[in-house]
Amino acid sequence: MAAQRVAEDVAKGTKQTARVRVAVRLRPYMRMQDQKGEGACVRRLDTETLEIINWRNATETLQYQFDVFHGEETTQQEVFLSSVKPILPHLLKGQNASVFAYGPTGAGKTHTMLGSQEQPGVIPRAVRGVFNLVKAKEREHEGWDYSIGMSYLEIYNEKVLDLLSPSAQDLPIREDKDRNILIPGLTHTPLSSFSNFHSHFIPASLNRTTASTKLNQRSSRSHAILLIKVVRTQRNPPHRQQTGKLYLVDLAGSEDNRRTGNKGIRLKESGAINLSLFTLSKVVDSLNAGGGGRVPYRDSKLTRLLQDSLGGSSHSVMITNIAPEYTYYFETFTALNFAAKSKQIVNKPFVRETVTVPSVQVKRSREEQEAGRSGEP
Ligand code: ADP
Ligand code: MG
C-alpha cells in the first residue's frame, strides 16, 4: 500500500521532496523588554545571516544562516513580498500552501501574521492578494469560475476548536481517499470580497482574545489557524474542479515551559504545546533533510491538520520570530536551532551598538509612511 502510494506520488509529481522555506525575523529592540538595559544580543549580518553572542564564551559569536533573514528594519510589506506573495498563485492551480509564525511569546508572531490597522501583517495582505489574483484570472477568461472561502480554528490542548462558531467541541481530523485532510463539522464561510473577509475574521479573532483574558494569555498557548480555500471549477464539461488551500498559522509561544514553572492547567497546556511544536520541528527537519524518510505528521494534531499543506507538492514557509533583548536569549537559541540551515562559531567579540533612539519609534514612523503609500499588497 505504502509502496503503491509512493509510486502514485512519483507519477503525479507529488513525491515528498518539498522543502519548507525558513525565514527568520528579528523584531526591533524594545527598551521595556530589557530589564537590565544591556542592549541587543543579536544582530543582522546580511540577508541570510545573523550573529548572536555565545554565552559559553563572550569572545565568540555564533552565526546562523537561513533561507532569508529579515532584520529589525524590515517592513510588513517586505516580509509579505519576499516570503508570502510568491506562493499565492499556486492556490489558483489547486495546490496547497502554508505560512506559519514560530517563536517565543513577545517576539512578534502576531505582529507578523496579523499586524495592526496601521501595519497590516501577512494575513490581510495575503487575503487581499488572493482576491486580486482571482480578479485578474477572471479577466483572462480562461473558462474557470473561482470561489473563495474561509475557516478559522484554534488548536488548544490538542483540541481542534472552531472559531467561526465557537463551542467546546473537539473536531475530528480525517483524511479522504485522495489524501486530503478534512475537518467534518468545521464552519466554512464563502467570501465575496476582502471587506467581507474582514467582517468575519475580526469578530472571530475577538472570540479568541476574550477567551484569552479569561484563560490567562490563551492566545500564546494555542495555535490560531486561518484557512483560505480557493476552489476553481471549469465552466464547460467535464467541469473539472480543483481546490487550493492556504493555511496561515500563528503558533503558540515556543518558550521552554519547563523553565517557567508552570503547574496544573498551565502544565497540561505546556505538554500539548511542547508536543505539537516538537513534532512540527521533526516534520520540518525530516522534509528538509530530503531522503524520503517517514514524516511524523500523525504525532500531533497540528501537523496532522497541516499534512496536505506542509511538504509534498505544497509550498510552505516558516517565519521564525526572534527578539533581540537578553531576556529572550535562551528562547532565541531554541528558536534558531529549530530554524537554522547552518551554524558557525566565529572568534570575535560581538560589536555592541549603543541604542540611542528607541528603535521601535523609528520603525513606527517608517511603517506609517509605508502604510500611507500602499494599500495594495
Ligand atoms: P507574539 O505574538 O510573538 O507574542 P507580538 O506580535 O504580540 O508577539 O509582539 C510583541 C510586541 O512587539 C507587540 O507590542 C508588537 O506590536 C511589537 N512588535 C513585534 N514585532 C514588531 C516589529 N517588527 N516592529 C514593531 N513592533 C513589533
Ligand atoms: Mg501573539
Side-chain angles (χ1 to χ4, degrees):
M1 183 68 192
Q4 188 194 334
R5 273 191 178 168
V6 171
E8 282 168 12
D9 285 348
V10 172
K12 282 191 282 183
T14 57
K15 194 171 152 330
Q16 264 163 11
T17 50
R19 284 190 75 250
V20 177
R21 231 170 95 86
V22 180
V24 170
R25 182 182 198 184
L26 174 65
R27 75 149 164 71
Y29 171 82
M30 290 159 86
R31 199 167 283 276
M32 285 112 56
Q33 303 284 318
D34 190 354
Q35 287 120 1
K36 296 194 192 146
E38 292 169 302
C41 61
V42 189
R43 66 183 187 119
R44 176 185 188 271
L45 290 180
D46 59 46
T47 56
E48 292 178 359
T49 322
L50 65 73
E51 71 174 344
I52 180 167
I53 290 176
N54 186 2
W55 62 281
R56 290 174 196 274
N57 179 349
T59 66
E60 290 176 353
T61 66
L62 294 163
Q63 298 187 356
Y64 286 84
Q65 202 203 359
F66 316 95
D67 293 316
V68 187
F69 177 64
H70 298 298
E72 61 178 313
E73 298 302 314
T74 315
T75 62
Q76 299 282 67
Q77 166 89 337
E78 284 161 353
V79 171
F80 173 72
L81 290 179
S82 100
S83 293
V84 182
K85 196 179 184 203
I87 67 180
L88 300 180
H90 301 291
L91 296 169
L92 278 70
K93 299 180 295 189
Q95 292 177 11
N96 297 341
S98 56
V99 179
F100 38 104
Y102 174 91
T105 301
K109 295 182 296 298
T110 304
H111 179 80
T112 295
M113 295 308 291
L114 190 56
S116 57
Q117 193 118 36
E118 308 77 50
Q119 302 176 50
V122 162
I123 287 175
R125 287 172 199 270
V127 175
R128 210 184 266 284
V130 169
F131 273 102
N132 288 343
L133 286 173
V134 163
K135 266 184 232 145
K137 274 284 173 214
E138 284 173 343
R139 277 197 296 270
E140 287 171 21
H141 299 292
E142 289 177 330
W144 294 86
D145 287 323
Y146 291 83
S147 68
I148 304 173
M150 72 178 281
S151 298
Y152 190 27
L153 61 142
E154 71 178 338
I155 298 182
Y156 173 70
N157 268 343
E158 286 297 279
K159 288 200 185 85
V160 177
L161 305 170
D162 195 339
L163 283 170
L164 288 180
S165 35
S167 87
Q169 210 203 329
D170 178 17
L171 299 169
I173 302 174
R174 304 248 191 277
E175 185 174 346
D176 73 7
K177 63 175 187 354
D178 298 319
R179 299 217 271 161
N180 297 307
I181 302 292
L182 315 168
I183 304 163
L186 179 68
T187 309
H188 180 258
T189 305
L191 298 174
S192 55
S193 64
F194 178 76
S195 63
N196 188 216
F197 160 76
H198 217 250
S199 69
H200 290 289
F201 181 69
I202 297 304
S205 306
L206 290 178
N207 281 341
R208 187 166 183 249
T209 326
T210 319
S212 83
T213 45
K214 270 192 233 140
L215 277 172
N216 184 16
Q217 297 184 333
R218 172 144 167 188
S219 72
S220 67
R221 328 266 317 153
S222 73
H223 311 293
I225 303 172
L226 172 67
L227 167 61
I228 300 295
K229 229 189 229 186
V230 181
V231 179
R232 68 166 183 172
T233 314
Q234 239 174 2
R235 220 165 284 153
N236 298 318
H239 301 293
R240 276 170 56 212
Q241 198 171 64
Q242 295 175 332
T243 301
K245 298 197 285 185
L246 170 64
Y247 282 104
L248 298 160
V249 186
D250 186 347
L251 292 168
S254 63
E255 49 272 11
D256 183 345
N257 291 287
R258 281 163 310 184
R259 282 202 313 121
T260 45
N262 287 317
K263 295 202 180 70
I265 178 94
R266 298 272 93 82
L267 192 65
K268 188 178 169 209
E269 289 173 356
S270 304
I273 295 167
N274 292 344
L275 171 76
S276 51
L277 294 180
F278 179 60
T279 307
L280 179 64
S281 77
K282 285 196 294 186
V283 166
V284 170
D285 277 350
S286 127
L287 291 171
N288 287 2
R294 186 185 91 96
V295 184
Y297 292 109
R298 286 172 180 266
D299 293 359
S300 78
K301 292 274 176 80
L302 174 72
T303 46
R304 178 67 171 145
L305 188 90
L306 292 174
Q307 180 163 349
D308 63 2
S309 308
L310 179 58
S313 60
S314 56
H315 308 266
S316 338
V317 185
M318 177 173 80
I319 304 173
T320 298
N321 290 92
I322 58 169
E325 301 85 20
Y326 274 89
T327 327
Y328 287 86
Y329 190 73
F330 286 99
E331 312 304 356
T332 301
F333 258 109
T334 313
L336 293 178
N337 286 328
F338 178 10
K341 252 166 83 171
S342 73
K343 180 168 90 171
Q344 195 189 1
I345 297 179
V346 177
N347 247 311
K348 72 167 192 198
F350 187 80
V351 185
R352 288 208 192 205
E353 286 160 18
T354 325
V355 185
T356 45
V357 190
S359 41
V360 173
Q361 275 170 31
V362 173
K363 171 105 183 145
R364 282 267 151 73
S365 60
R366 196 178 148 195
E367 290 231 13
E368 271 157 21
Q369 291 164 10
E370 176 201 311
R373 265 204 319 270
S374 59
E376 298 288 292

